Amino acid sequence: MTESAMIEMLLKNRVSWLSDSGPEDDIAISSRIRLARNLDGLPFPIAANPEQLLNVWGAVQLTSVQAKCVPDQILFEMQKLKELDRKILLERRLISREFLIDKPGAGLIVSPDESLAIMVNEEDHLRIQALRPGFQLKEVWTVIDALDTVLGKELKFGFDSQLGYLTSCPTNVGTGMRASVML
């Protein structure tokens, strides 16, 4: 299936985390947790060469497919996407603005309902996110923690016993987690 066909498939589906069926949805539109992870022993994406970036994409893609950690996952190689398709992914909160640039080894793994996504080779090797409608931070944490555990069994993440998870931005060092609620 082509990248454009996969984008069309996403557009036909309702964005699950935007439904008005979540707890306290009269105030909270959605809950999101994002984890930043880097593979141990490899330069962060900003310092990696194209071959290293492609190797990271291959390793994450293989692990994700074999572990079936994202149900019915859709895989996008960002270099194969048209500019409009990238902007659609940005508007649907599946990628960041930084991910709009053309970079080898940049990829996206997403569930059809868009509740789970993994950006590969953005600012960090992995940016894992989970979203749910309404105010559901505990539920989102349960889902993303399970996904992180599955990925972490196969991919060795950069971790320091004193600092925690190593990330390209010092503000993310430690847990690598960002939690947010859209009101």
Side-chain angles (χ1 to χ4, degrees):
M1 184 180 299
T2 68
E3 276 71 14
S4 291
M6 291 186 292
I7 293 286
E8 287 294 323
M9 186 174 71
L10 282 179
L11 289 173
K12 290 178 184 175
N13 294 334
R14 182 180 170 124
V15 179
S16 65
W17 56 268
L18 273 179
S19 70
D20 56 356
S21 61
E24 300 179 48
D25 61 12
D26 56 328
I27 298 171
I29 295 170
S30 65
S31 300
R32 173 181 175 255
I33 295 179
R34 186 218 65 205
L35 299 175
R37 300 288 185 259
N38 285 289
L39 302 186
D40 192 42
L42 290 172
F44 295 145
I46 196 156
N49 64 43
E51 182 181 350
Q52 291 167 322
L53 294 172
L54 289 168
N55 288 339
V56 169
W57 168 239
V60 174
Q61 183 180 355
L62 181 65
T63 298
S64 177
V65 168
Q66 288 180 342
K68 298 179 183 171
C69 54
V70 177
D72 301 319
Q73 60 194 350
I74 303 166
L75 295 105
F76 293 103
E77 291 182 50
M78 299 309 291
Q79 284 193 309
K80 293 182 179 179
L81 290 177
K82 298 175 188 166
E83 183 180 354
L84 178 60
D85 293 338
R86 290 179 197 191
K87 287 182 178 178
I88 290 170
L89 294 174
L90 176 67
E91 287 177 1
R92 293 173 83 96
R93 295 186 68 199
L94 294 171
I95 65 170
S96 64
R97 289 204 179 281
E98 293 77 15
F99 223 49
L100 292 173
I101 62 168
D102 193 18
K103 180 167 72 172
L108 175 68
I109 301 167
V110 64
S111 62
D113 69 355
E114 303 174 35
S115 65
L116 290 172
I118 305 168
M119 281 188 291
V120 181
N121 289 322
E122 189 234 25
E123 184 177 326
D124 294 292
H125 292 137
L126 287 90
R127 284 286 174 98
I128 308 162
Q129 77 172 6
L131 298 114
R132 293 289 182 271
F135 187 73
Q136 299 191 65
L137 283 176
K138 288 181 184 177
E139 294 82 354
V140 174
W141 171 250
T142 300
V143 170
I144 202 163
D145 184 44
L147 178 55
D148 184 45
T149 299
V150 169
L151 291 170
K153 285 181 182 175
E154 299 299 320
L155 302 166
K156 186 176 181 198
F157 296 139
F159 187 85
D160 180 86
S161 61
Q162 291 182 344
L163 299 174
Y165 288 100
L166 303 176
T167 60
S168 61
C169 181
T171 61
N172 291 323
V173 170
T175 63
M177 182 179 82
R178 292 277 170 101
S180 61
V181 178
M182 185 188 306
L183 304 175

